[in-house]
Amino acid sequence: MGAYIIRRILTGLLTLLFISFVIFALLDLAPGDPTANLPQSIPQEVKARIREALGVNDPFLMRYMKWGQQFLIVEPINAIEKTTGIAIGDSEGRLRITSWTSRGKPVVDIIIERLPQTLYVVGMAYLLSVLIAVPLGIFAGYRQNSWFDQISSVIAVIGFSLPTFFTGVLVIQIFAVWLGWFPTLYNTTLRVTSMETLFQQLRQMIMPIMVLAFFQMAAISRFTRSSVIENMKADYVRTARSKGLRERLVVVRHVVRNSLIPVVTLVALGIPGIFGGAIVTEQIFNVNGIGQLLITSLQSNDIPVVQTVLMIFAVLVVIFNLIADILYGVLDPRIRYS
Amino acid sequence: MSATAATASASVEPIFNTKPRGLWSTAFRRLFRRRSAIIGMIILAALILVALFAPVLATHDPVKSLIGIENVQKRQGPCIHWLGCPADQPQHYFGLDGNVRDLYSRILFGARLSLLVGIVSVGFAIVIGAFLGAISGYVGGWTDNLIMGLMDIMLAFPSLILAIAIVTVLGPGLINTLLAIGIVSIPIYARIMRSSVLAIKQQDYVMADRSIGVPTRRILFGNILPNALTPLIVQGTLGIAVAILDAAALSFLGLGAQPPTPEWGSMIGQERNQVFTAPHLIIFPGIALILTVLGFNLLGDGLRDALDVRQRS
């Protein structure tokens, strides 16, 4: 198992290295001259530091190394400093990845401000969709071709086909405007300090969560269903039945347990994917998360922010792939020995 | 299956007198037996007709503003005469948009764009993906590792985020959206093709061909590609649905088709804040988009069941 995990981690690191190079190279090629059009609002000395941090006149590889150093060494050190309060070396003199808009604020600071919103909304939506979709899928698969199965199939196909940007707008119209249950605008300045603000926060998160969860549910429940159907036909299920095991035990211990192995990996693999959905959802509901940050930075040609956000997505993708691989190996011994 | 069993027992003619049925005719029979697949095909047939005859069916120019031409206001609701709209008002089936353009005509022309984006980007992805997958599976070794490693990295990324990254580099626009979505979809087809090649490569008839010295190219195109076609078709149909949704999402975000192009996603994106005052501007393009995507999803599901070799027999 140890060798298996180490091999996976090494592949993951190699992948990240490759992705970071691609992200840097692609955006380096992107139209838009780096420092010529910096907004007037950025002070002169910040501009000078941005140029220095980018290494404007350096060759390509040099710039990539600088960026890598800032992403991998400088920012983590700053993060440690901030959380622990211990000063490490010359904290003022280090060159950080700096946004080209937002008055030259360091990118990581902006992202740290935005990340919690995304994590709450995306995390809750995903949790909710897994909690609903897995039992639905198990039941639909267990009673294949029953009316329940057929209805859930129809709903799943429709769920695949609904664009979140359409359902989102409709949901706002129905639940916020007509019924008045939830606020129409997401209050981005809300700080959770008391029970009341917590309640407010939850209330404004319900709609984006609903929209995101519905889209995810379709895929997960379909997958669970087909996995259950496959296992229902397995020899060990027939054996369990023929030795007179109670139906409940057959289903819980043999069918569900085995069919959830691929589902667990799908759920782990799907976590980065839901951030893609979050981009659109955040845009509709005006949630100030990193998805919205990505889009606004793209529109204002703020390359450092775009690079960093994409790189964070890449890290998430690789980490969750790793988790999925390891989980698969833990849950299914057949995998790690092959 | 019960139907074939019934005809077999009812007819007295010897079994070798019945005409053999090929994969495709069996598949078509199966396809037409599924209600959802038929609904999907009807939706898509209607859609293709709309796309082909958009200039005939449209009542107005999809990109021309009617300011000063007709006595209408922007974002005016639908006006259909035989549904009780006063006859002295100009007729607009789906109402008007924020730039005083006829929404009905815009939606008809939007069908062209969505179909084009879906089919061209998936077609592009299938051609490149199948090529890469075939090389990967047939050659093997480090070529295989390199290609599939790259494909795995691409596959791990959420398609929309990857497409956004590509559009950032290429710049926004319809053609670039098409390209971005095409590139993003390559890995799925490469994987399918590779696993088909690996499975078929071991078959006796391929071994036989190789041993008598049939050129690799002819083995790939003559033996392997036809056998790998069914999973590619199924995935391609479902892939068109995803491609159309992603393209619309990009346009919604302002990264895809640019105004005044009548693209459904960008139509929703531009008017999304008007949902309170002019819901028709959101609902009609939304329904058009959902129907299109639903059509491809239903047909794809039906095709998967009809063509699935494991299920046959």
Side-chain angles (χ1 to χ4, degrees):
Chain A
M1 195 64 201
Y4 172 82
I5 293 176
I6 289 171
R7 203 171 60 225
R8 291 292 143 141
I9 291 176
L10 285 180
T11 340
L13 286 177
L14 212 68
T15 312
L16 269 185
L17 194 71
F18 176 77
I19 294 175
S20 73
F21 186 76
V22 171
I23 288 176
F24 186 80
L26 284 183
L27 288 174
D28 204 61
L29 296 172
D33 177 37
T35 46
N37 297 322
L38 290 180
Q40 296 292 318
S41 56
I42 299 181
Q44 278 306 323
E45 64 267 22
V46 177
K47 277 189 192 171
R49 279 173 71 92
I50 289 177
R51 288 208 182 86
E52 199 189 332
L54 288 169
V56 176
N57 296 319
D58 293 338
F60 174 78
L61 270 179
M62 203 54 209
R63 272 179 286 148
Y64 172 61
M65 302 288 275
K66 269 193 168 165
W67 180 70
Q69 186 209 8
Q70 285 157 17
F71 191 87
L72 289 176
I73 301 168
V74 175
E75 296 300 346
I77 289 178
N78 275 332
I80 293 169
E81 265 185 9
K82 236 183 210 158
T83 45
T84 58
I86 305 164
I88 307 168
D90 175 21
S91 54
E92 289 300 309
R94 276 195 294 268
L95 294 169
R96 304 185 61 183
I97 306 173
T98 313
S99 163
W100 291 353
T101 55
S102 319
R103 301 221 182 95
K105 222 173 164 185
V107 171
V108 174
D109 293 359
I110 303 177
I111 289 173
I112 286 173
E113 264 171 36
R114 302 289 197 110
L115 199 60
Q117 305 277 1
T118 302
L119 287 182
Y120 289 147
V121 172
V122 168
M124 296 273 278
Y126 207 52
L127 199 67
L128 190 73
S129 62
V130 171
L131 287 181
I132 296 174
V134 170
L136 278 184
I138 291 175
F139 196 72
Y142 178 63
R143 298 217 179 280
Q144 194 191 355
N145 296 328
S146 64
W147 61 267
F148 179 82
D149 181 33
Q150 302 205 332
I151 290 176
S152 73
S153 291
V154 170
I155 294 177
V157 175
I158 293 175
F160 278 139
S161 311
L162 288 178
T164 45
F165 55 88
F166 177 69
T167 38
V169 172
L170 270 195
V171 160
I172 294 178
Q173 172 73 11
I174 294 170
F175 292 100
V177 179
W178 289 344
L179 298 173
W181 291 354
F182 310 115
T184 46
L185 275 179
Y186 194 94
N187 182 359
T188 52
T189 54
L190 187 72
R191 293 277 167 275
V192 178
T193 48
S194 61
M195 279 310 282
E196 201 184 325
T197 46
L198 178 72
F199 181 70
Q200 267 185 332
Q201 176 72 12
L202 287 177
R203 223 175 78 135
Q204 67 178 357
M205 271 165 48
I206 288 177
M207 288 195 299
I209 287 174
M210 220 158 67
V211 169
L212 260 179
F214 187 65
F215 193 71
Q216 287 294 318
M217 259 166 55
I220 298 174
S221 73
R222 287 278 80 186
F223 194 78
T224 313
R225 173 182 176 270
S226 58
S227 180
V228 167
I229 289 173
E230 214 161 275
N231 275 289
M232 290 284 287
K233 293 180 199 146
D235 290 339
Y236 48 80
V237 172
R238 196 184 311 130
T239 312
R241 283 231 171 87
S242 59
K243 72 178 183 190
L245 227 54
R246 265 177 298 143
E247 186 63 14
R248 236 178 70 91
L249 273 179
V250 174
V251 173
V252 172
R253 205 174 273 173
H254 294 274
V255 176
V256 171
R257 231 194 223 181
N258 278 298
S259 41
L260 284 191
I261 295 172
V263 174
V264 167
T265 45
L266 179 88
V267 168
L269 286 176
I271 289 174
I274 196 169
F275 281 96
I279 293 179
V280 175
T281 318
E282 286 181 1
Q283 201 71 9
I284 302 164
F285 292 99
N286 274 320
V287 180
N288 56 337
I290 47 175
Q292 203 194 37
L293 178 68
L294 179 65
I295 299 299
T296 47
S297 316
L298 274 177
Q299 282 160 350
S300 58
N301 212 359
D302 195 345
I303 305 274
V305 177
V306 178
Q307 278 174 334
T308 314
V309 172
L310 285 180
M311 199 54 215
I312 288 174
F313 278 134
V315 173
L316 286 174
V317 166
V318 169
I319 288 177
F320 283 108
N321 266 312
L322 199 67
I323 292 176
D325 276 347
I326 292 172
L327 270 179
Y328 211 51
V330 171
L331 294 173
D332 194 344
R334 284 167 292 186
I335 299 296
R336 60 179 172 228
Y337 294 120
S338 63
Chain B
M1 286 322 89
S2 55
T4 45
T7 48
S9 63
S11 60
V12 276
E13 55 191 295
I15 193 132
F16 46 81
N17 262 2
T18 53
K19 247 170 100 184
R21 246 187 242 142
L23 168 71
W24 293 103
S25 80
T26 324
F28 268 112
R29 278 161 185 279
R30 261 160 202 285
L31 201 59
F32 279 104
R33 231 179 275 149
R34 291 188 64 90
R35 207 183 317 141
S36 60
I38 292 175
I39 298 173
M41 282 191 279
I42 291 173
I43 294 175
L44 292 183
L47 196 78
I48 291 169
L49 287 180
V50 165
L52 282 178
F53 295 106
V56 184
L57 294 168
T59 51
H60 295 77
D61 187 328
V63 292
K64 206 170 131 201
S65 174
L66 294 171
I67 283 184
I69 297 173
E70 282 177 13
N71 183 24
V72 284
Q73 277 170 356
K74 67 175 179 182
R75 302 206 179 92
Q76 202 167 306
C79 172
I80 303 167
H81 286 155
W82 60 269
L83 281 182
C85 181
D88 55 334
Q89 271 183 33
Q91 183 158 258
H92 293 285
Y93 299 127
F94 294 171
L96 296 155
D97 74 354
N99 290 316
V100 205
R101 292 173 297 210
D102 181 59
L103 192 66
Y104 167 74
S105 308
R106 284 177 72 72
I107 285 179
L108 292 186
F109 277 92
R112 287 187 159 187
L113 284 181
S114 281
L115 282 181
L116 183 86
V117 168
I119 292 168
V120 172
S121 60
V122 169
F124 170 82
I126 287 181
V127 170
I128 309 263
F131 178 71
L132 289 176
I135 293 180
S136 202
Y138 204 82
V139 178
W142 66 267
T143 323
D144 181 26
N145 285 336
L146 190 74
I147 293 177
M148 289 333 275
L150 192 67
M151 293 295 121
D152 281 347
I153 293 173
M154 283 172 73
L155 205 59
F157 258 89
S159 64
L160 193 62
I161 293 180
L162 200 56
I164 285 176
I166 296 173
V167 167
T168 316
V169 175
L170 301 173
L174 190 66
I175 304 290
N176 292 344
T177 306
L178 232 146
L179 210 64
I181 290 172
I183 294 172
V184 168
S185 331
I186 290 174
I188 309 170
Y189 304 104
R191 267 200 169 176
I192 291 174
M193 189 66 185
R194 177 177 174 270
S195 59
S196 299
V197 169
L198 285 181
I200 299 161
K201 210 166 86 171
Q202 307 300 328
Q203 300 286 328
D204 290 341
Y205 58 87
V206 176
M207 290 294 188
D209 266 7
R210 279 170 80 176
S211 62
I212 58 168
V214 176
T216 309
R217 196 153 45 93
R218 256 187 58 198
I219 295 179
L220 271 178
F221 283 100
N223 291 334
I224 292 178
L225 192 63
N227 282 300
L229 218 52
T230 47
L232 285 179
I233 289 173
V234 172
Q235 188 56 50
T237 314
L238 294 169
I240 292 176
V242 178
I244 290 176
L245 266 188
D246 279 355
L250 280 177
S251 298
F252 172 84
L253 294 171
L255 300 168
Q258 299 296 307
T261 318
E263 207 278 343
W264 296 333
S266 85
M267 283 156 79
I268 297 176
Q270 276 174 19
E271 303 286 356
R272 71 189 171 98
N273 292 326
Q274 305 300 330
V275 65
F276 316 121
T277 51
H280 63 277
L281 292 179
I282 307 297
I283 288 173
F284 287 121
I287 289 174
L289 187 59
I290 291 172
L291 278 179
T292 310
V293 175
L294 196 64
F296 281 108
N297 273 334
L298 288 173
L299 181 63
D301 259 4
L303 276 173
R304 179 166 47 200
D305 293 343
L307 289 171
D308 193 354
V309 188
R310 275 176 305 168
Q311 270 193 4
R312 289 197 306 142
S313 82

